[in-house]
Amino acid sequence: MIVRINKLAAMMAIFATAASQAQDAGRIQAGSFDIIPTFDSSLSYIDNITRTTDDDENINSWKATFSPRIVLGTQVNSNPINVGYRIERGEYLTSTDDDYTDHFLSANGEFELNSRHAIDISALYEDGHEERGTGLSIGSGEDITSPDTYKSSMIEADYIYGSLTSAGLLTFSASRNTLDYDREEEAYLIRDRFTNKLGAEFSYSISPSTNIVVDVAKSFVRYDYQPVDDSIRNSDVTRILLGATWESTAATTGFAKVGYQEKDFESSERDNFYGTDWELGVDWQPIEYTTITLSTSADTRETNGEGDLIRSRDYAVSWNHDWYDYLSTNVGVTTIDNTYILNDDTITEREDDFTIYTMSASYQARRWLSVSFFYEYSELSSNRDTLGYDRNNIGVSFEVTL
C-alpha cells in the first residue's frame, strides 16, 4: 500500500507527445488520436508467498502475470491529453488462492493557458489487491484464504504561475485520495478513508543551476467508519519543508528538503505528533552510461494495525549501467524503518525494518520486444515475535509493443 499511488507515475511514463520514428512505429494513428497498445508478461518463482515467519511452513509457487495496456493520446489546442487502461492477471501454479485480477484507469492533461499560467490535471482509479502478508494482513497472511481487495482513487490538480524565463515559479495543488476495502468486517471498515490535501510550492532561482524551494501542505484525513469502543482516527496534517534543487554539473542533479510535520488528531485520546521530515534525491553520473541514485525520506503514514500512526524513514540506493544500446543492468537496495507510535507507556512500540535487494538485466531483443531477468530478496525484522520473514523472487519478464 505504501507505493500504491506511485503506480500513477509508472503508467503516465508511457505518455509522450513528441513523435520520433521509433515512437511512431509503436502507435496507431486514428484521426487526431494516437493509440498505444503494449503487453507485459512475466514468469517467476516465489518462495514464502504469504510472508510467514521462519517457524512456519512456507508456500512456494511459480507465478505468471499477463498485463495488456492501452493508452489513448491526443492534443487539444496543442495541450496533451492522455487516457490509459491496464488490466493485470496473476496466476499461481500451486497456490490458486492467491490468483488476482487488477484494473487500472488513468488520465492526465497539461494545459498551457499562456506563457505564465498552466494547469496540470491527473487521475487514477485502481481496483486492486494486497498480497497475503502485506497491508492489513502483515504477519497473518496464512490466516486469510485470499488476497484482500480494495478500490482506490486519486485526483490531483496543479496550477503553475511563472514562465521559463522568470526567476520564481509558484505552484498551487489540490488532491483527493480514497481507499475502500471490499470486505465488510469491522477490521476492514475502520481502515476505509479519504484524504484531501492542499499545497503550495515556491521555487526561486539563485543561480543558473540552483533553486531554493519552500513547500507547504495541509492534509485532512477522514475515516468512513467509527467503532463504538475506539477513539476516532481523523487527523489534520501540516507539513512545511525548505530546501533546494540543483544541477551542479552535467553529471549531478538532485533535490533536498527538510522541515517540520505536525499531525493533530481529532480525538484527545490520541497523542498529536510533532517531528522532523525530509526528502532527498540525488542522481550522480560519474561516467557516461552509469547512473547512481540515492534517496531518503521521513514522513508519517496511516497505521495498518497497531498504534496511532506509522513513523516511516526510507533509504534507497541503486546503480544502473547501460552496457550497450540494447543491454542494461540495475542493482539496488532499499530499507524502510517503520515505528508504530502509540499512546500507551505500558506497551513497547512496534519496530519493523524492511530490507529489499534487487538485481535486473534488460535486453532489447527487437524494437518491439524487451526481455528482463530479475531477482528480488526481501526480509522483515520486527520486535514482535509474530512478525518477520524472508522471501525470494526470481524470474523473467517481457514487454511487447507494436
Side-chain angles (χ1 to χ4, degrees):
M1 291 174 59
I2 292 175
V3 295
R4 180 177 303 148
I5 298 302
N6 288 342
K7 294 178 182 178
L8 175 65
M11 195 161 189
M12 294 303 181
I14 194 174
F15 298 151
T17 56
S20 65
Q21 182 176 359
Q23 289 174 322
D24 287 339
R27 61 182 64 201
I28 302 170
Q29 288 197 345
S32 61
F33 293 92
D34 285 342
I35 302 173
I36 309 171
T38 60
F39 180 79
D40 298 329
S41 61
S42 67
L43 179 65
S44 61
Y45 183 79
I46 305 173
D47 65 17
N48 200 0
I49 290 176
T50 58
R51 295 171 172 84
T52 59
T53 62
D54 296 335
D55 297 330
D56 297 323
E57 183 178 354
N58 297 341
I59 300 175
N60 309 322
S61 177
W62 287 94
K63 175 188 177 183
T65 63
F66 310 92
S67 181
R69 173 176 52 192
I70 187 168
V71 175
L72 181 67
T74 188
Q75 290 192 358
V76 177
N77 297 327
S78 300
N79 299 307
I81 299 175
N82 302 279
V83 177
Y85 170 74
R86 179 169 71 90
I87 182 173
E88 179 174 308
R89 174 64 180 173
E91 296 191 355
Y92 293 80
L93 182 62
T94 58
S95 182
T96 57
D97 289 340
D98 292 281
D99 293 351
Y100 64 90
T101 302
D102 293 345
H103 302 268
F104 307 87
L105 180 64
S106 64
N108 79 325
E110 301 175 5
F111 306 94
E112 186 174 340
L113 307 181
N114 56 45
S115 61
R116 288 185 175 274
H117 303 272
I119 296 176
D120 292 347
I121 301 175
S122 59
L124 173 68
Y125 174 80
E126 179 181 352
D127 182 354
H129 80 289
E130 292 176 348
E131 294 181 349
R132 289 198 290 170
T134 67
L136 296 188
S137 65
I138 185 171
S140 59
E142 69 278 12
D143 296 334
I144 59 176
T145 58
S146 63
D148 291 329
T149 58
Y150 60 83
K151 309 291 191 300
S152 69
S153 65
M154 187 278 289
I155 183 168
E156 181 176 3
D158 296 331
Y159 165 72
I160 304 102
Y161 176 73
S163 66
L164 295 175
T165 58
S166 60
L169 187 68
L170 184 60
T171 302
F172 295 99
S173 62
S175 66
R176 179 180 175 89
N177 297 300
T178 67
L179 174 63
D180 185 10
Y181 284 94
D182 293 336
R183 296 180 62 168
E184 296 298 326
E185 296 92 331
E186 186 173 83
Y188 292 86
L189 292 175
I190 62 174
R191 304 302 174 185
D192 295 344
R193 61 185 179 267
F194 67 87
T195 302
N196 294 331
K197 182 178 179 181
L198 299 173
E201 180 181 277
F202 178 67
S203 175
Y204 186 81
S205 175
I206 59 175
S207 76
S209 60
T210 304
N211 296 330
I212 59 172
V213 177
V214 180
D215 188 353
V216 180
K218 181 82 171 184
S219 300
F220 307 89
V221 184
R222 298 294 182 265
Y223 283 78
D224 299 338
Y225 176 81
Q226 175 57 41
V228 177
D229 58 347
D230 194 9
S231 57
I232 194 167
R233 297 180 180 273
N234 294 348
S235 65
D236 296 342
V237 183
T238 303
R239 197 170 191 234
I240 303 174
L241 301 177
L242 174 64
T245 63
W246 69 88
E247 188 174 352
S248 57
T249 67
T252 305
T253 60
F255 67 90
K257 294 187 286 186
V258 64
Y260 170 80
Q261 180 179 143
E262 178 178 314
K263 186 177 180 70
D264 296 323
F265 285 98
E266 184 176 313
S267 172
S268 59
E269 298 180 18
R270 300 186 185 276
D271 281 348
N272 297 331
F273 172 83
Y274 310 94
T276 302
D277 282 9
W278 67 79
E279 296 177 358
L280 170 69
V282 177
D283 286 336
W284 178 44
Q285 194 171 17
I287 59 175
E288 193 175 9
Y289 309 123
T290 284
T291 302
I292 297 174
T293 300
L294 306 172
S295 65
T296 179
S297 65
D299 201 351
T300 62
R301 295 170 179 145
E302 296 303 298
T303 181
N304 55 8
E306 300 179 35
D308 299 329
L309 60 96
I310 300 174
R311 177 58 168 168
S312 184
R313 298 174 178 86
D314 306 344
Y315 309 88
V317 58
S318 65
W319 170 47
N320 187 86
H321 187 80
D322 297 327
W323 299 94
Y324 302 99
D325 292 340
Y326 54 86
L327 178 64
S328 64
T329 57
N330 184 278
V331 296
V333 58
T334 300
T335 64
I336 304 172
D337 300 331
N338 288 337
T339 302
Y340 288 69
I341 307 296
L342 64 137
N343 181 21
D344 191 339
D345 296 334
T346 64
I347 301 177
T348 302
E349 290 180 338
R350 174 176 150 190
E351 300 275 354
D352 289 355
D353 296 327
F354 293 89
T355 305
I356 305 170
Y357 301 92
T358 59
M359 296 186 297
S360 65
S362 298
Y363 176 64
Q364 192 70 37
R366 297 288 188 271
R367 179 200 56 77
W368 47 268
L369 174 63
S370 176
V371 183
S372 296
F373 300 91
F374 61 88
Y375 171 73
E376 177 184 286
Y377 173 79
S378 58
E379 63 179 8
L380 166 64
S381 60
S382 175
N383 60 353
R384 296 292 190 264
D385 293 337
T386 58
L387 300 176
Y389 65 82
D390 57 75
R391 189 174 192 257
N392 295 279
N393 183 5
I394 185 169
V396 58
S397 64
F398 305 88
E399 180 181 30
V400 180
T401 64
L402 290 181

